[in-house]
Amino acid sequence: MPQHYPFSAVVGSDDMALALLLTTISPDIGGVLVRGEKGTAKSTIVRALTTVLPPIDVVAGDRFSSDPRETATRSPDGPFAADAQTETRPVRLVELPVGATEDRVLGSLHLERALSEGRAEYEPGLLARAHRGILYVDEVNLLHDHLVDLLLDAAAMGRSTVERDGVSVEHAARFVLVGTMNPEEGELRPQLLDRFGLTVEVAASRDPAVRVEVVRRRLAYDADPDAFAATYDDAERALTARIVKSQEIVETVHLSEQALWKIAEVCAAFDVDGMRADIVTARTAVAHAAWHARTEVTREDIRAAARLALPHRRRRNPFDAPGLDEDLLDQILGDDELPPEPPPEGHPGDGDQEPGTPHDQGPTEGSEGGTPEAPAGRPDQPAPAATGSQDTTQTTVTAGDPYRTKVLTVRGTGTGAAGRRSRAITQLGHRVGTARPDGSGGSIHLIETIRAAAPHQALRGRTAGALRFRPDDLRVASHEGKEANLILFCVDASGSMAARTRMEQVKTAILSLLLDAYRRRDKVGLVTFRGGAADLALPPTHSVEIAARRLSELPAGGRTPLAEGLLEAARVLEVERVRDPRRRPLLVVVTDGRATAGADAVARSHQAARLLAAHGVGAVVIDCEAGPMRLGLARTLAEHLLAEHVPVAEVSVGALTHTVHEKVA
């Protein structure tokens, strides 16, 4: 079997390598999230990590990797005798596919033994296999919500509990969670994002010398993996020895009171949520000191820890760009090294405190005597979009603050991936029946499986003993829940929409719907039409960040080619139907309905709308018409589309509530 790519041979991923090493020195840090564009060796370096980790001792024959040094194990294979045999094996890297079923992750009833022998025996899942190792999720942002919930429970409790299919099992599940993702494919749920102790951003180097070295090493590895790995044997052994040494001394590293105060100042200055950031930063600083063979946490340790632990905890919504202002970080930490001894006893806020405590250092630049505030225009904040243009035929207007929107759904019952929008038959939800397995997973329905096999026992020659089953007897439970959809926005950017107030209202409504799509795990796309043509501004993607950015850059002006916009939307939906046939689309047309481009513009737009309706495309028309004299063209368009008609002012839940109250009054 070819060797893994050597950990020491990876070029240009220093922050990522450091974060991975620190979590192996101190697993309580909580794992690493790696964000970066495709082709940046994210998966390569994660898989290479196990080659430099020291091996672990486990109880021989135990399927749950119990530590022989633990007096009370939670292994279902136990209890074990005090003199039970042990074995030494490498640390496991367990990969969790984004399409894994809940049974595969948690474990479930051993189906073969249950059907052939009538025994209810538990078959461990991926969480059990990952105990005391690394659980790696590539494209973790695409992980289904029900699997995210399982990871959150295991990460919080350090154990996994299985209560299903007649099985009741609990086992330890402590692992280092490592996730990689491409931000263009969408963001993580905030709950899972916060569970990652550290995060790093990786990008391909723009230095030609670095790029040449990467290519040279990769070609050498592909030509002869074993020979290439052998050239790094000494470096790998030295790295393993350093990890072992760091693990031995990490518990002895001293985190002084002043270092703890400095960590608190940093976290407060960057306005992070909760206290997990302080705890993770402290643990990371201690691990960083151990990595450098220091017994005292220094300013440099805190700086390194903050750079890795804080960026992803500063985000307030999915449209915020992650990052950390390192100039502000250096300003808070100051130039002086931390004193080696803790301050004298007493509350740090007392008026008789000794010189040298954090509050004696005086105000820093940009503050009034306490924690410095972030300067205006920090580089880690997204720059505001332009508010206008000198061109009278084309203007760009920014959106306002997003709000909670009305829930838009696709009519009928789908069979798409689990989500939070439209009604569907999924792997989650309440049980509504059974079906033959279709390869998409699901829990086994034993009673219906037995019922399907029972009438055929005589024909199969059974006179006594265990039932005789065939593959076509198998039945899985059908559940009704919610699915994720493709939300394709078809936005009118013509001159009739260019009035500042109207365009701001429209962009705010779309931004709010994008935020709703993010929370419901939908894919989104954006088609715009203005002048004489339509444009696919954003192909369908999971990244609402990119959609929001394209929306902020959207100009308005010119004629209204409504028919062309609808036909372009139809083309995009047809391509996506081939790519992902189970994901049902919802077309959201944002317009005032005035078609003005080309001959018979209104008739052609109605014809295009009827074409979409004939193909069964679910649609909603957001009516942007304003003013006292209204033509009702958007409502007419909705009738041809067989779509729901929603005035733009009623997209907000608050606006809907206000309207209902007015009608009641």
Side-chain angles (χ1 to χ4, degrees):
M1 179 178 178
Q3 298 245 10
H4 280 302
Y5 196 89
F7 190 84
S8 306
V10 179
V11 179
S13 299
D14 294 344
D15 280 350
M16 181 178 173
L18 176 62
L20 291 171
L21 291 170
L22 294 181
T23 57
T24 60
I25 294 168
S26 178
D28 288 341
I29 288 173
V32 182
L33 174 65
V34 185
R35 296 164 46 93
E37 58 197 24
K38 53 187 176 293
T40 49
K42 299 187 298 294
S43 300
T44 299
I45 193 170
V46 173
R47 294 188 175 99
L49 178 62
T50 56
T51 63
V52 297
L53 294 182
I56 60 173
D57 294 329
V58 298
V59 176
D62 178 40
R63 297 175 297 168
F64 300 86
S65 302
S66 296
D67 189 341
R69 296 168 296 182
E70 292 183 355
T71 55
T73 63
R74 285 186 181 149
S75 173
D77 289 350
F80 305 108
D83 58 348
Q85 289 187 341
T86 63
E87 60 184 12
T88 301
R89 64 162 177 79
V91 171
R92 286 175 180 158
L93 175 74
V94 178
E95 298 192 37
L96 195 164
V98 294
T101 64
E102 189 172 334
D103 290 347
R104 184 74 185 98
V105 176
L106 282 179
S108 63
L109 188 69
H110 195 297
L111 185 60
E112 182 179 351
R113 292 198 175 109
L115 295 180
S116 62
E117 304 174 17
R119 292 169 48 195
E121 181 177 322
Y122 173 68
E123 184 174 14
L126 295 177
L127 293 184
R129 184 171 175 78
H131 177 49
R132 301 179 64 203
I134 299 171
L135 184 64
Y136 173 47
V137 189
D138 193 14
E139 303 295 348
V140 64
N141 50 321
L142 303 183
L143 201 63
H144 290 170
D145 279 354
H146 66 288
L147 298 184
V148 170
D149 293 337
L150 297 180
L151 289 184
L152 288 174
D153 289 342
M157 306 302 294
R159 64 178 183 271
S160 176
T161 303
V162 182
E163 299 283 352
R164 57 189 306 162
D165 297 332
V167 173
S168 178
V169 171
E170 180 179 290
H171 62 82
R174 296 188 302 274
F175 46 80
V176 174
L177 180 62
V178 178
T180 56
M181 59 175 282
N182 183 348
E184 293 181 357
E185 291 298 325
E187 286 296 335
L188 279 178
R189 277 175 54 184
Q191 296 91 334
L192 183 57
L193 182 64
D194 190 50
R195 281 293 173 185
F196 283 100
L198 310 178
T199 184
V200 291
E201 298 275 342
V202 294
S205 174
R206 299 300 182 257
D207 184 349
V210 174
R211 299 174 74 95
V212 166
E213 184 61 24
V214 170
V215 175
R216 182 184 293 120
R217 293 187 186 187
R218 185 68 206 195
L219 293 177
Y221 172 79
D222 291 340
D224 191 342
D226 293 327
F228 180 81
T231 63
Y232 288 90
D233 281 347
D234 291 342
E236 299 283 272
R237 281 193 293 269
L239 191 54
T240 301
R242 187 175 176 184
I243 294 173
V244 171
K245 182 64 175 178
S246 301
Q247 290 174 338
E248 291 173 350
I249 69 172
V250 68
E251 297 296 333
T252 66
V253 174
H254 180 226
L255 179 67
S256 70
E257 192 71 14
Q258 283 191 307
L260 198 54
W261 271 87
K262 190 59 69 176
I263 289 171
E265 285 183 20
V266 169
C267 293
F270 283 106
D271 194 27
V272 297
D273 289 331
M275 296 299 300
R276 184 172 286 121
D278 303 62
I279 296 170
V280 171
T281 304
R283 288 172 174 165
T284 307
V286 169
H288 190 267
W291 176 243
H292 290 277
R294 290 192 286 265
T295 57
E296 187 86 21
V297 170
T298 67
R299 173 185 179 276
E300 184 56 35
D301 297 323
I302 298 175
R303 187 182 192 280
R307 287 180 57 251
L308 298 173
L310 299 187
H312 61 300
R313 293 188 164 87
R314 299 185 55 251
R315 308 185 71 187
R316 291 295 178 267
N317 65 62
F319 307 135
D320 290 341
L324 199 69
D325 184 348
E326 295 194 24
D327 290 337
L328 176 61
L329 177 60
D330 289 336
Q331 179 184 330
I332 300 167
L333 291 174
D335 296 328
D336 297 331
E337 191 50 79
L338 298 174
E341 297 297 329
E345 294 183 0
H347 194 283
D350 293 343
D352 59 349
Q353 62 191 24
E354 294 287 338
T357 58
H359 289 274
D360 280 327
Q361 295 175 1
T364 55
E365 182 181 353
S367 69
E368 298 179 355
T371 303
E373 295 184 0
R378 289 189 345 217
D380 56 315
Q381 294 291 342
T387 57
S389 172
Q390 298 300 320
D391 186 353
T392 57
T393 63
Q394 177 175 313
T395 60
T396 303
V397 180
T398 58
D401 293 332
Y403 46 71
R404 185 183 172 199
T405 66
K406 174 183 178 180
V407 180
L408 306 177
T409 61
V410 181
R411 287 190 289 264
T413 303
T415 58
R420 299 180 177 181
R421 184 171 297 276
S422 303
R423 180 181 174 186
I425 301 298
T426 65
Q427 296 179 20
L428 301 175
H430 63 279
R431 185 176 290 177
V432 294
T434 60
R436 285 191 170 93
D438 60 359
S440 60
S443 58
I444 303 300
H445 198 301
L446 286 178
I447 294 177
E448 292 301 324
T449 299
I450 293 172
R451 184 175 293 170
H456 309 292
Q457 295 305 297
L459 293 176
R460 295 173 186 174
R462 174 183 176 267
T463 57
L467 291 173
R468 296 186 179 181
F469 292 91
R470 291 183 179 173
D472 56 358
D473 297 329
L474 198 60
R475 298 292 184 273
V476 295
S478 298
H479 299 85
E480 185 175 296
K482 299 285 187 179
E483 68 176 357
N485 298 109
L486 165 62
I487 311 300
L488 181 63
F489 293 93
C490 187
V491 180
D492 185 345
S494 64
S496 63
M497 304 285 289
R500 179 172 298 278
T501 302
R502 183 187 300 188
M503 182 52 75
E504 181 180 355
Q505 186 182 29
V506 168
K507 286 191 174 183
T508 303
I510 299 174
L511 188 68
S512 303
L513 291 169
L514 282 173
L515 186 58
D516 182 67
Y518 162 76
R519 291 168 176 158
R520 299 182 188 279
R521 317 306 291 167
D522 298 312
K523 290 180 72 173
V524 295
L526 178 62
V527 170
T528 64
F529 53 94
R530 58 182 294 271
D535 175 50
L536 178 59
L538 177 68
T541 175
H542 284 281
S543 178
V544 296
E545 286 181 299
I546 297 178
R549 191 157 58 245
R550 299 288 170 84
L551 177 67
S552 68
E553 300 166 353
L554 179 65
R559 292 184 174 274
T560 311
L562 178 56
E564 284 74 9
L566 295 175
L567 291 174
E568 176 65 11
R571 184 194 68 79
V572 173
L573 293 177
E574 179 61 24
V575 172
E576 286 300 307
R577 185 188 66 79
V578 174
R579 289 178 177 171
D580 191 356
R582 295 179 60 197
R583 188 181 293 270
R584 294 192 296 164
L586 178 64
L587 177 64
V588 180
V589 183
V590 185
T591 182
D592 58 8
R594 299 182 182 183
T596 60
D600 300 322
V602 174
R604 288 190 300 108
S605 65
H606 291 170
Q607 183 180 6
R610 289 192 293 270
L611 175 66
L612 283 162
H615 283 80
V617 175
V620 176
V621 174
I622 306 296
D623 188 350
C624 302
E625 191 174 27
M629 298 296 294
R630 304 192 180 189
L631 302 177
L633 297 176
R635 184 179 291 276
T636 302
L637 178 67
E639 293 172 356
H640 287 287
L641 271 171
L642 302 182
E644 181 181 1
H645 172 265
V646 180
V648 68
E650 296 182 10
V651 173
S652 167
V653 169
L656 287 172
T657 304
H658 183 68
T659 302
V660 170
H661 287 170
E662 286 181 343
K663 290 180 178 180
V664 171

